[in-house]
């Protein structure tokens, strides 16, 4: 199935694996809460056990260095695209309120970004994330 939209997450390429997975988890959770992202129907196995619905569209996970992440967030902001971000400090903050407080301490250009996610028109997402590589 082809989509006109794209759901993409870019993570810093220098993070340990557990941190990359943590960033991807948090960012995907944030983006899937927007009204633009469609989730499917509840899953059910042959025993009748139900499972939560999933995003109907694949989520592309990319990587880039931290300088590129700053470029990506600036591009997204210029295009007025809603994004989810994750900064380095959030690994130590422990909860949602503390996460918001730590982000508030930084000007946009100074954010210590380790991840950014967005959903939107495929062409726009590709334009914002130009230079990111498919995560291996």
């Amino acid at each position: 199935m082809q989509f006109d939209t794209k759901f993409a997450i870019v993570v810093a390429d220098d993070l340990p694996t557990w941190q990359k997975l943590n960033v991807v988890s948090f960012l995907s959770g944030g983006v899937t809460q927007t009204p633009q992202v469609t989730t499917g129907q509840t899953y059910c196995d042959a025993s009748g056990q139900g499972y939560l619905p999933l995003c109907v569209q694949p989520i592309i996970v990319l990587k880039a260095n931290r300088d590129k992440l700053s470029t990506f967030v600036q591009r997204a902001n210029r295009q007025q695209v809603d994004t989810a971000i994750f900064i380095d400090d959030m690994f130590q903050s422990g909860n949602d309120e503390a996460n918001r407080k730590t982000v508030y301490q930084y000007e946009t250009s100074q954010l210590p970004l380790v991840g950014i996610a967005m959903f939107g028109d495929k062409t726009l997402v590709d334009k914002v994330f130009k230079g990111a590589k498919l995560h291996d």
Side-chain angles (χ1 to χ4, degrees):
M1 173 177 254
Q2 294 292 324
F3 295 94
D4 295 332
T5 55
K6 188 179 236 181
F7 186 160
I9 299 171
V10 184
V11 295
D13 58 8
D14 63 342
L15 294 175
T17 301
W18 77 266
Q19 287 182 330
K20 288 178 182 178
L21 294 170
N22 189 265
V23 170
V24 169
S25 297
F26 273 94
L27 293 176
S28 62
V31 175
T32 56
Q33 293 303 304
T34 64
Q36 297 89 349
V37 176
T38 304
T39 54
Q41 299 297 313
T42 302
Y43 286 76
C44 188
D45 66 25
S47 300
Q49 177 63 51
Y51 303 95
L52 295 172
L54 302 176
C55 182
V56 300
Q57 181 168 346
I59 301 171
I60 308 302
V61 180
L62 306 165
K63 65 181 179 178
N65 67 44
R66 293 177 190 225
D67 290 338
K68 278 285 192 194
L69 292 174
S70 182
T71 299
F72 299 154
V73 82
Q74 291 173 34
R75 287 179 189 163
N77 290 341
R78 276 195 305 271
Q79 296 289 333
Q80 298 180 328
V81 178
D82 290 332
T83 58
I85 62 166
F86 197 103
I87 65 170
D88 201 36
D89 304 41
M90 292 164 72
F91 290 118
Q92 272 68 48
S93 59
N95 64 64
D96 189 52
E97 183 179 346
N99 287 345
R100 283 193 306 278
K101 285 180 180 178
T102 192
V103 170
Y104 188 73
Q105 297 177 68
Y106 295 97
E107 296 289 328
T108 305
S109 63
Q110 301 302 312
L111 287 165
L113 293 163
V114 294
I116 180 173
M118 63 184 288
F119 176 87
D121 175 79
K122 183 189 278 188
T123 305
L124 182 58
V125 173
D126 288 343
K127 182 178 179 181
V128 169
F129 288 159
K130 183 177 180 180
K133 305 290 183 207
L134 191 60
H135 202 290
D136 44 4

